[in-house]
Amino acid sequence: MPDRTLLEHTNAGGDSTGSSAPSGAQFHPYGIASAVHQIRSPLSALCDRSGRRVGVLTSARESDNDAHVPSGTHLLGTLPPLYPEWLGDRSFCEAHGVRFPYIAGEMANGIATTRLVIEMVRAGMLAFFGAAGLGPATVERAIKTLHEELGPRGPWGVNLIHSPYEPALEDGVAEILLKWNVPRISASAFTALTPAVVRCAASGLRTDRQGEIQRPRKVFAKVSHPTVAERFLSPPPRDVLRTLVDREQLTPTEAELAGKIPVAEDITVEADSGGHTDNRPMSALLPSILAMRDSMTSSFGYTDPIRIGVAGGLGTPRGVASAFAMGAAYVLTGTINQASVESGLSEDGKSMLAEADLTDVTMAPAADMFEAGVQVQLLRRGTLFAARAKQLYDTYRAYNGLNEIPQAERTDLERRVLRSSLEEVWNEVVRFWHERDPAELRRAENDPKHAMALTFRWYLGNSSRWAIKGDQRRRSDYQIWCGPAMGAFNRWVSGSWLDPLRNRSVVQIARNLLEGAAVATRAHQIRTFGAPLPDSAGNYVPRRLV
Ligand code: FMN
């Protein structure tokens, strides 16, 4: 456990007011720890005459430190003020008109609500509305709200998720994003570049008077694999551009300009995260993609910077600090925002997340790519969803149709998992797909295995909705996407101001993470001078930040 007394003492030194009480030289570990938290003041490292004791001196101005070096000590070096705003790549804040290099990521089915996006943008951060899984009409309503509340050009965005099984849906959402000229689009789950995502990146491209290519909107790409990163770091494939010109969805000029620039200039590298994830460690993935960015920038001769951000596993200030230290231009969080006041998840679901520890997560079959065996990471504690979804997947693998399932297994599925007869579920499946895409039903008529997949996907799709609605009758079936960041976050905030769910606004979560990341960064800087820091000096206790 961190030393709370020390933390309360040290936290008192730095806050968002920018206070910078001048103080004398500190050689005692507790005094040094206190100086660590005065991140907005310059800090000098000193050495005594023996050359063995290292201490620090903080003051309002860097020049003061030079003037006040106590006799008998000499200056090792001076650190400038450190603001959370400066942790990432300055070009990120400039390009997107935000104060902080921080994004609240999209969460499907509107769990990342319009309210969540609005709060983040008003606090100087970027956020994406969770459009995946929603019908085009709902997505359009949300865009209208964001337009009205935040203006047409504000730093808000919407997710465009690749839908390999429903290409018409992907095209339909892209059409709406373009119709409303949504200023930022987060493209995710793409393995190859589809016409929909290329159209979003290229439509409206033009040159200004200086001949520079101007983008009317910015596409972010979320990637967890180097080959996908490579596609977004390249100009779009020629054949896709040609198709779009033939369909009159791009002009020849737009296609020509698109051929000179990368599809995306903001690439979010996603490590082990909640929801869809390859469970890759950030420390392996990020350096590889940073190197790829550098070599592709040089080989294509790009002149504008390409920013690489990081998502996955971020739930503590030290985690965020490590992402920036590794070279992330910005950070993006997901899981921890699902338990925020503004999230669309039910209060019941949020309270389950608040109980989660690091290892209370598991992988289970995904609703959208069930047949392909794709899995998502989700909460294990307090719900039996993962075990039940795996049972459905095993059954799907074992038989060619519902009729082949032996009676005992069928009864077990109906009683324990579906809690409905297979016939009742099938009737609901027919109603749903009749509205959404009747072609699925036609396919199921001729393919009993597909009919079985649709039936089982009924459970996987509804289990998310039960969690969102907080349907107590199906509590043990809640499907709540969640990564290890949740447990890390809960441990960090335990007993602090951010512990109660009512205080976990998405903005306070972000501001505290960034403030704490600046403290952790400062502690690291001071450590490199050889100052005797107490172990917990870089810890930060959450508080209400204004
Ligand atoms: N990412 C997407 O690109 N599209 C989504 O629809 C989507 N839905 C999500 C829903 C939930 C409940 C969660 C927890 C994550 C979702 N994500 C989605 C991923 C997040 O946007 C973000 O990239 C990820 O959560 C970051 O990792 P973390 O969970 O460790 O914070």
mmCIF file with all atom_site columns, all heavy atoms in Angstrom, residues 105-108 111 132 159 161 188 222 270 272-274 311-314 332-335 338 481-482 485, ligand 1:
data_model
loop_
_atom_site.group_PDB
_atom_site.id
_atom_site.type_symbol
_atom_site.label_atom_id
_atom_site.label_alt_id
_atom_site.label_comp_id
_atom_site.label_asym_id
_atom_site.label_entity_id
_atom_site.label_seq_id
_atom_site.pdbx_PDB_ins_code
_atom_site.Cartn_x
_atom_site.Cartn_y
_atom_site.Cartn_z
_atom_site.occupancy
_atom_site.B_iso_or_equiv
_atom_site.pdbx_formal_charge
_atom_site.auth_seq_id
_atom_site.auth_comp_id
_atom_site.auth_asym_id
_atom_site.auth_atom_id
_atom_site.pdbx_PDB_model_num
ATOM   1   N N   . GLY A 1 105 ? -12.145 7.380  -25.464 1.00 0.00 ? 105 GLY A N   1
ATOM   2   C CA  . GLY A 1 105 ? -12.425 6.568  -26.651 1.00 0.00 ? 105 GLY A CA  1
ATOM   3   C C   . GLY A 1 105 ? -13.892 6.201  -26.804 1.00 0.00 ? 105 GLY A C   1
ATOM   4   O O   . GLY A 1 105 ? -14.669 6.209  -25.833 1.00 0.00 ? 105 GLY A O   1
ATOM   5   N N   . GLU A 1 106 ? -14.259 5.854  -28.042 1.00 0.00 ? 106 GLU A N   1
ATOM   6   C CA  . GLU A 1 106 ? -15.613 5.418  -28.356 1.00 0.00 ? 106 GLU A CA  1
ATOM   7   C C   . GLU A 1 106 ? -15.949 4.136  -27.599 1.00 0.00 ? 106 GLU A C   1
ATOM   8   O O   . GLU A 1 106 ? -15.088 3.270  -27.435 1.00 0.00 ? 106 GLU A O   1
ATOM   9   C CB  . GLU A 1 106 ? -15.746 5.172  -29.865 1.00 0.00 ? 106 GLU A CB  1
ATOM   10  C CG  . GLU A 1 106 ? -14.729 4.193  -30.455 1.00 0.00 ? 106 GLU A CG  1
ATOM   11  C CD  . GLU A 1 106 ? -13.418 4.854  -30.872 1.00 0.00 ? 106 GLU A CD  1
ATOM   12  O OE1 . GLU A 1 106 ? -13.003 5.830  -30.223 1.00 0.00 ? 106 GLU A OE1 1
ATOM   13  O OE2 . GLU A 1 106 ? -12.818 4.389  -31.856 1.00 0.00 ? 106 GLU A OE2 1
ATOM   14  N N   . MET A 1 107 ? -17.182 4.025  -27.140 1.00 0.00 ? 107 MET A N   1
ATOM   15  C CA  . MET A 1 107 ? -17.659 2.775  -26.533 1.00 0.00 ? 107 MET A CA  1
ATOM   16  C C   . MET A 1 107 ? -19.008 2.452  -27.146 1.00 0.00 ? 107 MET A C   1
ATOM   17  O O   . MET A 1 107 ? -19.944 3.268  -27.103 1.00 0.00 ? 107 MET A O   1
ATOM   18  C CB  . MET A 1 107 ? -17.745 2.916  -25.010 1.00 0.00 ? 107 MET A CB  1
ATOM   19  C CG  . MET A 1 107 ? -16.367 3.002  -24.353 1.00 0.00 ? 107 MET A CG  1
ATOM   20  S SD  . MET A 1 107 ? -16.447 2.961  -22.557 1.00 0.00 ? 107 MET A SD  1
ATOM   21  C CE  . MET A 1 107 ? -16.940 4.639  -22.183 1.00 0.00 ? 107 MET A CE  1
ATOM   22  N N   . ALA A 1 108 ? -19.076 1.253  -27.719 1.00 0.00 ? 108 ALA A N   1
ATOM   23  C CA  . ALA A 1 108 ? -20.193 0.833  -28.570 1.00 0.00 ? 108 ALA A CA  1
ATOM   24  C C   . ALA A 1 108 ? -21.550 0.986  -27.888 1.00 0.00 ? 108 ALA A C   1
ATOM   25  O O   . ALA A 1 108 ? -21.643 1.129  -26.674 1.00 0.00 ? 108 ALA A O   1
ATOM   26  C CB  . ALA A 1 108 ? -19.985 -0.618 -28.970 1.00 0.00 ? 108 ALA A CB  1
ATOM   27  N N   . ILE A 1 111 ? -22.476 3.677  -25.258 1.00 0.00 ? 111 ILE A N   1
ATOM   28  C CA  . ILE A 1 111 ? -21.974 3.740  -23.868 1.00 0.00 ? 111 ILE A CA  1
ATOM   29  C C   . ILE A 1 111 ? -21.106 4.994  -23.716 1.00 0.00 ? 111 ILE A C   1
ATOM   30  O O   . ILE A 1 111 ? -21.128 5.650  -22.676 1.00 0.00 ? 111 ILE A O   1
ATOM   31  C CB  . ILE A 1 111 ? -21.201 2.452  -23.497 1.00 0.00 ? 111 ILE A CB  1
ATOM   32  C CG1 . ILE A 1 111 ? -22.168 1.268  -23.438 1.00 0.00 ? 111 ILE A CG1 1
ATOM   33  C CG2 . ILE A 1 111 ? -20.505 2.612  -22.149 1.00 0.00 ? 111 ILE A CG2 1
ATOM   34  C CD1 . ILE A 1 111 ? -21.522 -0.068 -23.129 1.00 0.00 ? 111 ILE A CD1 1
ATOM   35  N N   . ALA A 1 132 ? -20.833 2.368  -32.714 1.00 0.00 ? 132 ALA A N   1
ATOM   36  C CA  . ALA A 1 132 ? -20.915 0.961  -33.140 1.00 0.00 ? 132 ALA A CA  1
ATOM   37  C C   . ALA A 1 132 ? -22.123 0.281  -32.501 1.00 0.00 ? 132 ALA A C   1
ATOM   38  O O   . ALA A 1 132 ? -22.467 0.549  -31.352 1.00 0.00 ? 132 ALA A O   1
ATOM   39  C CB  . ALA A 1 132 ? -19.637 0.231  -32.731 1.00 0.00 ? 132 ALA A CB  1
ATOM   40  N N   . ASN A 1 159 ? -17.255 7.272  -33.962 1.00 0.00 ? 159 ASN A N   1
ATOM   41  C CA  . ASN A 1 159 ? -16.585 6.050  -34.410 1.00 0.00 ? 159 ASN A CA  1
ATOM   42  C C   . ASN A 1 159 ? -17.176 5.532  -35.727 1.00 0.00 ? 159 ASN A C   1
ATOM   43  O O   . ASN A 1 159 ? -18.388 5.542  -35.918 1.00 0.00 ? 159 ASN A O   1
ATOM   44  C CB  . ASN A 1 159 ? -16.792 4.993  -33.306 1.00 0.00 ? 159 ASN A CB  1
ATOM   45  C CG  . ASN A 1 159 ? -16.088 3.672  -33.558 1.00 0.00 ? 159 ASN A CG  1
ATOM   46  O OD1 . ASN A 1 159 ? -16.543 2.637  -33.085 1.00 0.00 ? 159 ASN A OD1 1
ATOM   47  N ND2 . ASN A 1 159 ? -14.991 3.665  -34.266 1.00 0.00 ? 159 ASN A ND2 1
ATOM   48  N N   . ILE A 1 161 ? -16.922 1.990  -37.305 1.00 0.00 ? 161 ILE A N   1
ATOM   49  C CA  . ILE A 1 161 ? -16.369 0.660  -37.058 1.00 0.00 ? 161 ILE A CA  1
ATOM   50  C C   . ILE A 1 161 ? -16.519 -0.195 -38.306 1.00 0.00 ? 161 ILE A C   1
ATOM   51  O O   . ILE A 1 161 ? -17.542 -0.123 -38.998 1.00 0.00 ? 161 ILE A O   1
ATOM   52  C CB  . ILE A 1 161 ? -17.022 0.003  -35.820 1.00 0.00 ? 161 ILE A CB  1
ATOM   53  C CG1 . ILE A 1 161 ? -16.167 -1.174 -35.322 1.00 0.00 ? 161 ILE A CG1 1
ATOM   54  C CG2 . ILE A 1 161 ? -18.449 -0.444 -36.092 1.00 0.00 ? 161 ILE A CG2 1
ATOM   55  C CD1 . ILE A 1 161 ? -16.272 -1.438 -33.846 1.00 0.00 ? 161 ILE A CD1 1
ATOM   56  N N   . SER A 1 188 ? -12.079 2.113  -36.676 1.00 0.00 ? 188 SER A N   1
ATOM   57  C CA  . SER A 1 188 ? -11.545 1.010  -35.875 1.00 0.00 ? 188 SER A CA  1
ATOM   58  C C   . SER A 1 188 ? -12.003 -0.335 -36.422 1.00 0.00 ? 188 SER A C   1
ATOM   59  O O   . SER A 1 188 ? -12.974 -0.418 -37.169 1.00 0.00 ? 188 SER A O   1
ATOM   60  C CB  . SER A 1 188 ? -11.972 1.167  -34.416 1.00 0.00 ? 188 SER A CB  1
ATOM   61  O OG  . SER A 1 188 ? -13.356 1.250  -34.306 1.00 0.00 ? 188 SER A OG  1
ATOM   62  N N   . LYS A 1 222 ? -7.505  3.333  -35.301 1.00 0.00 ? 222 LYS A N   1
ATOM   63  C CA  . LYS A 1 222 ? -7.155  2.546  -34.112 1.00 0.00 ? 222 LYS A CA  1
ATOM   64  C C   . LYS A 1 222 ? -6.608  1.207  -34.589 1.00 0.00 ? 222 LYS A C   1
ATOM   65  O O   . LYS A 1 222 ? -7.275  0.486  -35.330 1.00 0.00 ? 222 LYS A O   1
ATOM   66  C CB  . LYS A 1 222 ? -8.390  2.353  -33.242 1.00 0.00 ? 222 LYS A CB  1
ATOM   67  C CG  . LYS A 1 222 ? -7.997  1.948  -31.841 1.00 0.00 ? 222 LYS A CG  1
ATOM   68  C CD  . LYS A 1 222 ? -9.182  1.614  -31.034 1.00 0.00 ? 222 LYS A CD  1
ATOM   69  C CE  . LYS A 1 222 ? -9.779  2.852  -30.407 1.00 0.00 ? 222 LYS A CE  1
ATOM   70  N NZ  . LYS A 1 222 ? -11.017 2.492  -29.700 1.00 0.00 ? 222 LYS A NZ  1
ATOM   71  N N   . GLU A 1 270 ? -3.403  0.377  -29.994 1.00 0.00 ? 270 GLU A N   1
ATOM   72  C CA  . GLU A 1 270 ? -4.182  -0.171 -28.872 1.00 0.00 ? 270 GLU A CA  1
ATOM   73  C C   . GLU A 1 270 ? -3.547  -1.463 -28.358 1.00 0.00 ? 270 GLU A C   1
ATOM   74  O O   . GLU A 1 270 ? -3.485  -2.465 -29.058 1.00 0.00 ? 270 GLU A O   1
ATOM   75  C CB  . GLU A 1 270 ? -5.616  -0.425 -29.299 1.00 0.00 ? 270 GLU A CB  1
ATOM   76  C CG  . GLU A 1 270 ? -6.490  -0.777 -28.102 1.00 0.00 ? 270 GLU A CG  1
ATOM   77  C CD  . GLU A 1 270 ? -7.942  -0.882 -28.492 1.00 0.00 ? 270 GLU A CD  1
ATOM   78  O OE1 . GLU A 1 270 ? -8.275  -1.765 -29.290 1.00 0.00 ? 270 GLU A OE1 1
ATOM   79  O OE2 . GLU A 1 270 ? -8.740  -0.062 -28.012 1.00 0.00 ? 270 GLU A OE2 1
ATOM   80  N N   . ASP A 1 272 ? -3.346  -4.180 -24.824 1.00 0.00 ? 272 ASP A N   1
ATOM   81  C CA  . ASP A 1 272 ? -4.336  -4.987 -24.096 1.00 0.00 ? 272 ASP A CA  1
ATOM   82  C C   . ASP A 1 272 ? -5.450  -4.103 -23.503 1.00 0.00 ? 272 ASP A C   1
ATOM   83  O O   . ASP A 1 272 ? -5.205  -3.337 -22.574 1.00 0.00 ? 272 ASP A O   1
ATOM   84  C CB  . ASP A 1 272 ? -3.577  -5.721 -22.966 1.00 0.00 ? 272 ASP A CB  1
ATOM   85  C CG  . ASP A 1 272 ? -4.427  -6.801 -22.330 1.00 0.00 ? 272 ASP A CG  1
ATOM   86  O OD1 . ASP A 1 272 ? -5.451  -7.183 -22.922 1.00 0.00 ? 272 ASP A OD1 1
ATOM   87  O OD2 . ASP A 1 272 ? -4.064  -7.257 -21.233 1.00 0.00 ? 272 ASP A OD2 1
ATOM   88  N N   . SER A 1 273 ? -6.643  -4.227 -24.039 1.00 0.00 ? 273 SER A N   1
ATOM   89  C CA  . SER A 1 273 ? -7.720  -3.279 -23.687 1.00 0.00 ? 273 SER A CA  1
ATOM   90  C C   . SER A 1 273 ? -9.013  -4.007 -23.379 1.00 0.00 ? 273 SER A C   1
ATOM   91  O O   . SER A 1 273 ? -9.115  -5.215 -23.572 1.00 0.00 ? 273 SER A O   1
ATOM   92  C CB  . SER A 1 273 ? -7.968  -2.351 -24.881 1.00 0.00 ? 273 SER A CB  1
ATOM   93  O OG  . SER A 1 273 ? -8.611  -3.081 -25.909 1.00 0.00 ? 273 SER A OG  1
ATOM   94  N N   . GLY A 1 274 ? -10.011 -3.239 -22.961 1.00 0.00 ? 274 GLY A N   1
ATOM   95  C CA  . GLY A 1 274 ? -11.362 -3.778 -22.845 1.00 0.00 ? 274 GLY A CA  1
ATOM   96  C C   . GLY A 1 274 ? -11.955 -3.936 -24.235 1.00 0.00 ? 274 GLY A C   1
ATOM   97  O O   . GLY A 1 274 ? -11.579 -3.223 -25.155 1.00 0.00 ? 274 GLY A O   1
ATOM   98  N N   . ALA A 1 311 ? -3.492  3.499  -26.495 1.00 0.00 ? 311 ALA A N   1
ATOM   99  C CA  . ALA A 1 311 ? -4.676  3.096  -25.722 1.00 0.00 ? 311 ALA A CA  1
ATOM   100 C C   . ALA A 1 311 ? -4.418  1.697  -25.195 1.00 0.00 ? 311 ALA A C   1
ATOM   101 O O   . ALA A 1 311 ? -3.575  0.967  -25.727 1.00 0.00 ? 311 ALA A O   1
ATOM   102 C CB  . ALA A 1 311 ? -5.905  3.081  -26.629 1.00 0.00 ? 311 ALA A CB  1
ATOM   103 N N   . GLY A 1 312 ? -5.172  1.334  -24.175 1.00 0.00 ? 312 GLY A N   1
ATOM   104 C CA  . GLY A 1 312 ? -5.072  -0.037 -23.663 1.00 0.00 ? 312 GLY A CA  1
ATOM   105 C C   . GLY A 1 312 ? -4.313  -0.113 -22.361 1.00 0.00 ? 312 GLY A C   1
ATOM   106 O O   . GLY A 1 312 ? -3.117  0.171  -22.310 1.00 0.00 ? 312 GLY A O   1
ATOM   107 N N   . GLY A 1 313 ? -5.056  -0.452 -21.317 1.00 0.00 ? 313 GLY A N   1
ATOM   108 C CA  . GLY A 1 313 ? -4.417  -0.679 -20.020 1.00 0.00 ? 313 GLY A CA  1
ATOM   109 C C   . GLY A 1 313 ? -4.134  0.579  -19.238 1.00 0.00 ? 313 GLY A C   1
ATOM   110 O O   . GLY A 1 313 ? -3.476  0.511  -18.200 1.00 0.00 ? 313 GLY A O   1
ATOM   111 N N   . LEU A 1 314 ? -4.617  1.725  -19.708 1.00 0.00 ? 314 LEU A N   1
ATOM   112 C CA  . LEU A 1 314 ? -4.310  2.971  -18.995 1.00 0.00 ? 314 LEU A CA  1
ATOM   113 C C   . LEU A 1 314 ? -5.377  3.237  -17.934 1.00 0.00 ? 314 LEU A C   1
ATOM   114 O O   . LEU A 1 314 ? -6.534  3.509  -18.259 1.00 0.00 ? 314 LEU A O   1
ATOM   115 C CB  . LEU A 1 314 ? -4.231  4.138  -19.980 1.00 0.00 ? 314 LEU A CB  1
ATOM   116 C CG  . LEU A 1 314 ? -3.150  4.006  -21.059 1.00 0.00 ? 314 LEU A CG  1
ATOM   117 C CD1 . LEU A 1 314 ? -3.201  5.165  -22.033 1.00 0.00 ? 314 LEU A CD1 1
ATOM   118 C CD2 . LEU A 1 314 ? -1.760  3.889  -20.425 1.00 0.00 ? 314 LEU A CD2 1
ATOM   119 N N   . LEU A 1 332 ? -5.360  7.526  -24.889 1.00 0.00 ? 332 LEU A N   1
ATOM   120 C CA  . LEU A 1 332 ? -6.805  7.314  -25.042 1.00 0.00 ? 332 LEU A CA  1
ATOM   121 C C   . LEU A 1 332 ? -7.231  6.259  -24.027 1.00 0.00 ? 332 LEU A C   1
ATOM   122 O O   . LEU A 1 332 ? -6.592  5.217  -23.905 1.00 0.00 ? 332 LEU A O   1
ATOM   123 C CB  . LEU A 1 332 ? -7.103  6.858  -26.474 1.00 0.00 ? 332 LEU A CB  1
ATOM   124 C CG  . LEU A 1 332 ? -8.561  6.585  -26.844 1.00 0.00 ? 332 LEU A CG  1
ATOM   125 C CD1 . LEU A 1 332 ? -8.802  6.904  -28.329 1.00 0.00 ? 332 LEU A CD1 1
ATOM   126 C CD2 . LEU A 1 332 ? -8.998  5.150  -26.563 1.00 0.00 ? 332 LEU A CD2 1
ATOM   127 N N   . THR A 1 333 ? -8.282  6.564  -23.276 1.00 0.00 ? 333 THR A N   1
ATOM   128 C CA  . THR A 1 333 ? -8.800  5.593  -22.299 1.00 0.00 ? 333 THR A CA  1
ATOM   129 C C   . THR A 1 333 ? -10.183 5.120  -22.715 1.00 0.00 ? 333 THR A C   1
ATOM   130 O O   . THR A 1 333 ? -10.896 5.802  -23.440 1.00 0.00 ? 333 THR A O   1
ATOM   131 C CB  . THR A 1 333 ? -8.884  6.215  -20.890 1.00 0.00 ? 333 THR A CB  1
ATOM   132 O OG1 . THR A 1 333 ? -9.696  7.397  -20.975 1.00 0.00 ? 333 THR A OG1 1
ATOM   133 C CG2 . THR A 1 333 ? -7.516  6.573  -20.350 1.00 0.00 ? 333 THR A CG2 1
ATOM   134 N N   . GLY A 1 334 ? -10.548 3.934  -22.231 1.00 0.00 ? 334 GLY A N   1
ATOM   135 C CA  . GLY A 1 334 ? -11.868 3.378  -22.554 1.00 0.00 ? 334 GLY A CA  1
ATOM   136 C C   . GLY A 1 334 ? -12.526 2.813  -21.322 1.00 0.00 ? 334 GLY A C   1
ATOM   137 O O   . GLY A 1 334 ? -13.401 3.436  -20.706 1.00 0.00 ? 334 GLY A O   1
ATOM   138 N N   . THR A 1 335 ? -12.036 1.634  -20.911 1.00 0.00 ? 335 THR A N   1
ATOM   139 C CA  . THR A 1 335 ? -12.650 0.903  -19.810 1.00 0.00 ? 335 THR A CA  1
ATOM   140 C C   . THR A 1 335 ? -13.013 1.784  -18.606 1.00 0.00 ? 335 THR A C   1
ATOM   141 O O   . THR A 1 335 ? -14.134 1.720  -18.103 1.00 0.00 ? 335 THR A O   1
ATOM   142 C CB  . THR A 1 335 ? -11.671 -0.210 -19.352 1.00 0.00 ? 335 THR A CB  1
ATOM   143 O OG1 . THR A 1 335 ? -11.637 -1.223 -20.357 1.00 0.00 ? 335 THR A OG1 1
ATOM   144 C CG2 . THR A 1 335 ? -12.106 -0.836 -18.064 1.00 0.00 ? 335 THR A CG2 1
ATOM   145 N N   . GLN A 1 338 ? -16.119 3.808  -18.643 1.00 0.00 ? 338 GLN A N   1
ATOM   146 C CA  . GLN A 1 338 ? -17.401 3.128  -18.636 1.00 0.00 ? 338 GLN A CA  1
ATOM   147 C C   . GLN A 1 338 ? -18.058 3.214  -17.251 1.00 0.00 ? 338 GLN A C   1
ATOM   148 O O   . GLN A 1 338 ? -19.270 3.128  -17.127 1.00 0.00 ? 338 GLN A O   1
ATOM   149 C CB  . GLN A 1 338 ? -17.207 1.667  -19.039 1.00 0.00 ? 338 GLN A CB  1
ATOM   150 C CG  . GLN A 1 338 ? -18.487 1.031  -19.488 1.00 0.00 ? 338 GLN A CG  1
ATOM   151 C CD  . GLN A 1 338 ? -18.344 -0.415 -19.863 1.00 0.00 ? 338 GLN A CD  1
ATOM   152 O OE1 . GLN A 1 338 ? -19.286 -0.975 -20.381 1.00 0.00 ? 338 GLN A OE1 1
ATOM   153 N NE2 . GLN A 1 338 ? -17.237 -1.046 -19.601 1.00 0.00 ? 338 GLN A NE2 1
ATOM   154 N N   . TRP A 1 481 ? -17.824 -5.036 -21.262 1.00 0.00 ? 481 TRP A N   1
ATOM   155 C CA  . TRP A 1 481 ? -16.448 -5.031 -21.778 1.00 0.00 ? 481 TRP A CA  1
ATOM   156 C C   . TRP A 1 481 ? -15.547 -4.306 -20.788 1.00 0.00 ? 481 TRP A C   1
ATOM   157 O O   . TRP A 1 481 ? -15.895 -3.231 -20.281 1.00 0.00 ? 481 TRP A O   1
ATOM   158 C CB  . TRP A 1 481 ? -16.394 -4.313 -23.128 1.00 0.00 ? 481 TRP A CB  1
ATOM   159 C CG  . TRP A 1 481 ? -17.077 -5.061 -24.220 1.00 0.00 ? 481 TRP A CG  1
ATOM   160 C CD1 . TRP A 1 481 ? -17.818 -6.199 -24.085 1.00 0.00 ? 481 TRP A CD1 1
ATOM   161 C CD2 . TRP A 1 481 ? -17.078 -4.739 -25.608 1.00 0.00 ? 481 TRP A CD2 1
ATOM   162 N NE1 . TRP A 1 481 ? -18.271 -6.598 -25.310 1.00 0.00 ? 481 TRP A NE1 1
ATOM   163 C CE2 . TRP A 1 481 ? -17.835 -5.721 -26.261 1.00 0.00 ? 481 TRP A CE2 1
ATOM   164 C CE3 . TRP A 1 481 ? -16.512 -3.713 -26.352 1.00 0.00 ? 481 TRP A CE3 1
ATOM   165 C CZ2 . TRP A 1 481 ? -18.039 -5.703 -27.629 1.00 0.00 ? 481 TRP A CZ2 1
ATOM   166 C CZ3 . TRP A 1 481 ? -16.722 -3.691 -27.723 1.00 0.00 ? 481 TRP A CZ3 1
ATOM   167 C CH2 . TRP A 1 481 ? -17.476 -4.686 -28.345 1.00 0.00 ? 481 TRP A CH2 1
ATOM   168 N N   . CYS A 1 482 ? -14.403 -4.892 -20.549 1.00 0.00 ? 482 CYS A N   1
ATOM   169 C CA  . CYS A 1 482 ? -13.558 -4.350 -19.487 1.00 0.00 ? 482 CYS A CA  1
ATOM   170 C C   . CYS A 1 482 ? -12.151 -4.907 -19.631 1.00 0.00 ? 482 CYS A C   1
ATOM   171 O O   . CYS A 1 482 ? -11.972 -6.094 -19.888 1.00 0.00 ? 482 CYS A O   1
ATOM   172 C CB  . CYS A 1 482 ? -14.164 -4.781 -18.148 1.00 0.00 ? 482 CYS A CB  1
ATOM   173 S SG  . CYS A 1 482 ? -13.211 -4.321 -16.703 1.00 0.00 ? 482 CYS A SG  1
ATOM   174 N N   . ALA A 1 485 ? -7.256  -2.279 -17.010 1.00 0.00 ? 485 ALA A N   1
ATOM   175 C CA  . ALA A 1 485 ? -7.158  -0.889 -16.542 1.00 0.00 ? 485 ALA A CA  1
ATOM   176 C C   . ALA A 1 485 ? -8.151  -0.604 -15.416 1.00 0.00 ? 485 ALA A C   1
ATOM   177 O O   . ALA A 1 485 ? -7.883  0.214  -14.536 1.00 0.00 ? 485 ALA A O   1
ATOM   178 C CB  . ALA A 1 485 ? -7.410  0.068  -17.709 1.00 0.00 ? 485 ALA A CB  1
HETATM 179 N N1  . FMN B 2 .   ? -13.423 0.726  -29.572 1.00 0.00 ? 1   FMN B N1  1
HETATM 180 C C1  . FMN B 2 .   ? -13.904 0.966  -30.801 1.00 0.00 ? 1   FMN B C1  1
HETATM 181 O O1  . FMN B 2 .   ? -13.129 1.293  -31.674 1.00 0.00 ? 1   FMN B O1  1
HETATM 182 N N2  . FMN B 2 .   ? -15.247 0.874  -31.063 1.00 0.00 ? 1   FMN B N2  1
HETATM 183 C C2  . FMN B 2 .   ? -16.139 0.550  -30.087 1.00 0.00 ? 1   FMN B C2  1
HETATM 184 O O2  . FMN B 2 .   ? -17.320 0.476  -30.350 1.00 0.00 ? 1   FMN B O2  1
HETATM 185 C C3  . FMN B 2 .   ? -15.653 0.297  -28.794 1.00 0.00 ? 1   FMN B C3  1
HETATM 186 N N3  . FMN B 2 .   ? -16.502 -0.019 -27.789 1.00 0.00 ? 1   FMN B N3  1
HETATM 187 C C4  . FMN B 2 .   ? -16.018 -0.200 -26.529 1.00 0.00 ? 1   FMN B C4  1
HETATM 188 C C5  . FMN B 2 .   ? -16.907 -0.462 -25.491 1.00 0.00 ? 1   FMN B C5  1
HETATM 189 C C6  . FMN B 2 .   ? -16.451 -0.614 -24.215 1.00 0.00 ? 1   FMN B C6  1
HETATM 190 C C7  . FMN B 2 .   ? -17.410 -0.859 -23.114 1.00 0.00 ? 1   FMN B C7  1
HETATM 191 C C8  . FMN B 2 .   ? -15.065 -0.545 -23.947 1.00 0.00 ? 1   FMN B C8  1
HETATM 192 C C9  . FMN B 2 .   ? -14.541 -0.733 -22.556 1.00 0.00 ? 1   FMN B C9  1
HETATM 193 C C10 . FMN B 2 .   ? -14.180 -0.303 -24.963 1.00 0.00 ? 1   FMN B C10 1
HETATM 194 C C11 . FMN B 2 .   ? -14.639 -0.108 -26.269 1.00 0.00 ? 1   FMN B C11 1
HETATM 195 N N4  . FMN B 2 .   ? -13.779 0.205  -27.311 1.00 0.00 ? 1   FMN B N4  1
HETATM 196 C C12 . FMN B 2 .   ? -14.259 0.413  -28.564 1.00 0.00 ? 1   FMN B C12 1
HETATM 197 C C13 . FMN B 2 .   ? -12.339 0.412  -27.071 1.00 0.00 ? 1   FMN B C13 1
HETATM 198 C C14 . FMN B 2 .   ? -12.074 1.799  -26.493 1.00 0.00 ? 1   FMN B C14 1
HETATM 199 O O3  . FMN B 2 .   ? -12.450 2.823  -27.377 1.00 0.00 ? 1   FMN B O3  1
HETATM 200 C C15 . FMN B 2 .   ? -10.595 1.965  -26.157 1.00 0.00 ? 1   FMN B C15 1
HETATM 201 O O4  . FMN B 2 .   ? -9.830  1.875  -27.327 1.00 0.00 ? 1   FMN B O4  1
HETATM 202 C C16 . FMN B 2 .   ? -10.116 0.922  -25.186 1.00 0.00 ? 1   FMN B C16 1
HETATM 203 O O5  . FMN B 2 .   ? -11.092 0.692  -24.216 1.00 0.00 ? 1   FMN B O5  1
HETATM 204 C C17 . FMN B 2 .   ? -8.837  1.379  -24.538 1.00 0.00 ? 1   FMN B C17 1
HETATM 205 O O6  . FMN B 2 .   ? -8.328  0.400  -23.679 1.00 0.00 ? 1   FMN B O6  1
HETATM 206 P P1  . FMN B 2 .   ? -8.776  0.259  -22.141 1.00 0.00 ? 1   FMN B P1  1
HETATM 207 O O7  . FMN B 2 .   ? -10.073 -0.447 -22.164 1.00 0.00 ? 1   FMN B O7  1
HETATM 208 O O8  . FMN B 2 .   ? -7.709  -0.561 -21.546 1.00 0.00 ? 1   FMN B O8  1
HETATM 209 O O9  . FMN B 2 .   ? -8.868  1.645  -21.592 1.00 0.00 ? 1   FMN B O9  1
#
